[in-house]
Amino acid sequence: MNRPIPFGVGRPADTDRNDIADVMQQVAHGDKEAFSALYDALAPLVFGIVLKVVRDRAQSEEVAQEVMIELWRQAARYRPDAGSVTAWAATVAHRRAVDRVRSAQAATDREHAQAAREHTTAFDEVAEQVETRLESEQVRRCLRGLTELQRQAVTLAYYQGLTYREVAASLRTPLPTIKTRMRDGLIRLRDCMGVTT
């Protein structure tokens, strides 16, 4: 194995750029010592870029590690003619950091939406129960305002599902009388309930 040349030891910047490209070539061939040198050279840059985007130190450390692992795995894809190793690492770091921020924001949005749905559902159930109870009380109160025959006829027809004929037979009252009492009873109920037509 070839030992990588340390960067920046009394050399011009162009030489450093060539050295890091050579080290990247060695990393592409699976050289772990070369990766150690690459890591030492790029990790501070990668961490700085990630920290500026993510703004949380612990998450930034995690994302920077992911970037360095990606550089190790993707080293064979690096092409010197497309740009410097540093530019490539910076691009990967920025993209990964933005992905983390977007992922965290999406998770937060999902949690808020779920909490809102749960809260709204609970509120709607309570409101619906209260409304149903109030309406039931109002119907009972209005039914008490009907005559006995009207109340019996309406109750049999609407709560037990009987037809006019079945109500008349059940109450032993002529059919025309039942129809009239139900019509009058429903008009009184409508007025008592405050329903407008």
Side-chain angles (χ1 to χ4, degrees), residues 110-120:
R110 280 192 303 274
E111 288 171 8
H112 287 312
Q114 180 64 29
R117 281 193 299 274
E118 288 172 0
H119 179 70
T120 301

Side-chain angles (χ1 to χ4, degrees), residues 20-32 34-36 38-39 42 66-85 88-89 92:
I20 199 167
D22 291 341
V23 171
M24 182 57 90
Q25 290 291 330
Q26 293 172 357
V27 171
H29 290 94
D31 187 334
K32 291 180 183 175
F35 180 69
S36 178
L38 185 73
Y39 190 98
L42 295 179
E66 292 171 5
V67 170
M68 296 310 296
I69 291 169
E70 186 173 344
L71 294 178
W72 166 259
R73 290 181 180 158
Q74 302 296 326
R77 290 187 170 188
Y78 169 69
R79 299 289 172 252
D81 54 334
S84 70
V85 172
W88 182 54
V92 172

Side-chain angles (χ1 to χ4, degrees), residues 47 49-70 91-110:
F47 180 73
I49 290 169
V50 171
L51 185 60
K52 283 183 182 178
V53 175
V54 176
R55 297 179 188 261
D56 176 79
R57 189 166 188 84
Q59 283 194 37
S60 296
E61 289 171 359
E62 188 177 311
V63 173
Q65 280 297 97
E66 292 171 5
V67 170
M68 296 310 296
I69 291 169
E70 186 173 344
T91 301
V92 172
H94 187 264
R95 285 181 183 161
R96 190 59 77 103
V98 168
D99 288 347
R100 176 61 66 97
V101 170
R102 286 180 179 157
S103 176
Q105 185 61 49
T108 301
D109 292 347
R110 280 192 303 274

Side-chain angles (χ1 to χ4, degrees), residues 102-173:
R102 286 180 179 157
S103 176
Q105 185 61 49
T108 301
D109 292 347
R110 280 192 303 274
E111 288 171 8
H112 287 312
Q114 180 64 29
R117 281 193 299 274
E118 288 172 0
H119 179 70
T120 301
T121 300
F123 173 78
D124 288 345
E125 288 173 9
V126 170
E128 191 174 314
Q129 289 174 358
V130 168
E131 188 175 324
T132 301
R133 187 171 294 137
L134 290 174
E135 286 175 357
S136 296
E137 289 174 14
Q138 186 178 9
V139 168
R140 280 193 291 275
R141 183 178 51 78
C142 291
L143 278 172
R144 284 192 298 267
L146 302 179
T147 68
E148 184 64 27
L149 185 59
Q150 288 173 335
R151 185 173 43 254
Q152 289 175 339
V154 168
T155 301
L156 289 172
Y158 287 93
Y159 291 109
Q160 295 183 15
L162 300 182
T163 64
Y164 284 121
R165 264 187 219 294
E166 292 170 333
V167 170
S170 177
L171 296 177
R172 296 188 180 127
T173 307

